[in-house]
Amino acid sequence: MKYIDEFRDGRLAAGLARAIAHEVAPGRDYAFMEFCGGHTHAIARYAVTDLLPPTVRMIHGPGCPVCVLPIGRIDLAIGLALARPEVILCTYGDCLRVPASGGLSLMKARARGADVRMVYSPADALALAVREPAREVVFFAIGFETTTPPTALVLRAAAAQRLDNFSVICNHVLTPAAIAAILESPEVRELGTVALDGFIGPAHVSTVIGSRPYERFAAAHRKPVVIAGFEPLDVIQAIRMLIRQVNDGRAEVENEFTRAVTRDGNRKAQALVAATFEPRPSFEWRGLGAVADSALRIRPAFARWDAERKFALADRPVPDHKACACGAILRGVRTPADCKLFATACTPETPMGACMVSSEGACAAHYTYGRFRDAARRTQ
């Protein structure tokens, strides 16, 4: 299949691995963060780290939208669904099992009588509102820049149709702000961070925002960024490009994923989002704390379809489970295997933290592909 099979060629992967082994500088360690959860899964699934020299370390970042969503936002949705029987709360499947306060989750709230439904897209929630005019359909929207334009489209469609029984709880977050927090925020440094030599930039996000937004970080912090696709050869080639930049003393934004990403991105999608949403002054991230200008809220022009305004909702900060290391894993300070709950009390069937729930979570990746077992064997 074009653009799939040729990017999974084991012979080419081995050749890239040999090139990397030849190009790493003697006595030099490299630490690169793959920001996106899709890259984390590709690295685990295809055992990319097994092909790298021991001096090249890959560190998981906060690029999993379900993982970075704080407990307080899940509590807000659960509280609405349980308190208002006329509400049908719709969201993506990954959100349903994220642990919230009091041992609850959206799925457990459904067991208690709340009408919580999984949808595949915001358009499904909008169609449900059309079919159920006597009910209040609330879409719990999450995601980075990739999933924001579809939410903007349904908000504008609801306004055009004057569909007053539809509204959105907006949890859309912004990639550049998260990278800036990792590099710049004193609060995040107090929580604990790890020294980084560069970033693998997200693929799908970058198809929307382009490569231009990363240029500030590369210039200001002397940290190279290489945007990569999700196939194993994409990731290995991006690592090689980062190593070359570090060796050369360069800190530039390079685009390995040229088959999908441009410097300016999707300007039509950007304009749509800008006309529908505005930045929040501050938003809490799991693992990063409150980060300024890091999330979006619905503009006043669409206030009738803003569930937070419509139902007077307010979230409150809620600490994570004390034994769960999800926050530290999202900052790259710890690995899933460092958490004492991992693969014991915390599994995909009984998740204790969001990093084990989401299909993009680092803990789920390590568990699914057995990377923790490989690490244990190497230390024996």
Side-chain angles (χ1 to χ4, degrees):
M1 184 183 294
K2 192 174 183 182
Y3 296 141
I4 298 293
D5 291 345
E6 56 266 59
F7 287 88
R8 297 179 181 177
D9 188 308
R11 180 182 57 82
L12 293 177
L16 281 172
R18 288 192 296 271
I20 288 173
H22 178 72
E23 292 176 12
V24 293
R28 175 71 159 88
D29 290 333
Y30 304 81
F32 302 126
M33 175 176 281
E34 83 273 3
F35 182 89
C36 181
H39 287 136
T40 299
H41 271 255
I43 288 168
R45 178 181 179 184
Y46 297 105
V48 169
T49 51
D50 291 356
L51 297 174
L52 301 176
T55 53
V56 179
R57 180 186 173 200
M58 299 307 300
I59 298 164
H60 313 312
C64 162
V66 172
C67 303
V68 300
L69 193 65
I71 289 175
R73 299 296 289 181
I74 302 290
D75 285 352
L76 179 149
I78 290 173
L80 175 65
L82 287 173
R84 304 290 292 263
E86 75 275 19
V87 165
I88 302 174
L89 186 83
C90 300
T91 192
Y92 300 120
D94 279 358
C95 288
L96 297 182
R97 297 173 61 242
V98 177
S101 298
L104 280 176
S105 64
L106 284 168
M107 185 172 287
K108 290 179 179 177
R110 182 167 64 183
R112 292 191 179 186
D115 195 343
V116 177
R117 306 188 192 184
M118 185 192 80
V119 293
Y120 290 103
S121 76
D124 292 343
L126 186 71
L128 180 60
V130 173
R131 294 196 305 270
E132 298 277 1
R135 303 288 299 277
E136 287 283 349
V137 176
V138 179
F139 177 61
F140 188 72
I142 70 160
F144 288 91
E145 292 89 344
T146 315
T147 57
T148 307
T151 304
L153 283 174
V154 295
L155 280 165
R156 302 181 80 85
Q161 298 173 39
R162 299 185 181 275
L163 199 62
D164 289 336
N165 69 320
F166 177 80
S167 58
V168 171
I169 298 175
C170 181
N171 302 288
H172 287 300
V173 289
L174 304 173
T175 300
I179 296 177
I182 292 169
L183 294 174
E184 301 171 356
S185 170
E187 291 81 10
V188 173
R189 284 199 293 271
E190 287 178 10
L191 291 170
T193 55
V194 64
L196 298 171
D197 295 304
F199 291 87
I200 293 182
H204 293 158
V205 162
S206 299
T207 64
V208 177
I209 68 172
S211 63
R212 188 190 298 271
Y214 308 107
E215 293 172 4
R216 182 175 71 86
F217 313 119
H221 297 280
R222 303 295 302 163
K223 303 293 183 186
V225 178
V226 176
I227 297 164
F230 286 125
E231 297 303 326
L233 291 187
D234 287 316
V235 177
I236 299 170
Q237 176 63 18
I239 294 169
R240 186 185 186 190
M241 293 165 73
L242 284 169
I243 290 170
R244 285 177 167 179
Q245 285 209 49
V246 171
N247 290 349
D248 294 344
R250 295 182 290 121
E252 302 169 1
V253 177
E254 293 184 315
N255 181 15
E256 183 277 337
F257 198 30
T258 54
R259 62 190 187 275
V261 173
T262 64
R263 185 166 184 251
D264 291 323
N266 187 328
R267 290 184 173 179
K268 187 172 183 178
Q270 294 167 20
L272 174 69
V273 168
T276 312
F277 300 101
E278 62 185 11
R280 291 181 186 264
S282 181
F283 191 77
E284 184 183 355
W285 291 55
R286 190 190 305 262
L288 300 181
V291 180
D293 299 319
S294 66
L296 299 174
R297 63 186 179 190
I298 298 168
R299 286 191 177 276
F302 299 94
R304 286 168 59 184
W305 298 276
D306 184 345
E308 293 183 69
R309 290 184 173 107
K310 187 174 188 176
F311 298 103
L313 302 177
D315 62 294
R316 58 186 179 84
V318 179
D320 287 336
H321 190 292
K322 290 182 179 180
C324 177
C326 189
I329 291 167
L330 291 168
R331 294 193 305 278
V333 177
R334 300 177 70 180
T335 68
D338 293 332
C339 179
K340 63 183 179 182
L341 299 179
F342 178 76
T344 55
C346 184
T347 69
E349 290 73 32
T350 58
M352 301 294 290
C355 294
M356 185 62 86
V357 173
S358 173
S359 59
E360 294 190 359
C363 294
H366 278 241
Y367 189 94
T368 300
Y369 301 113
R371 305 309 298 164
F372 66 100
R373 289 188 287 269
D374 294 343
R377 283 195 292 267
R378 285 195 292 269
T379 58
Q380 289 176 352

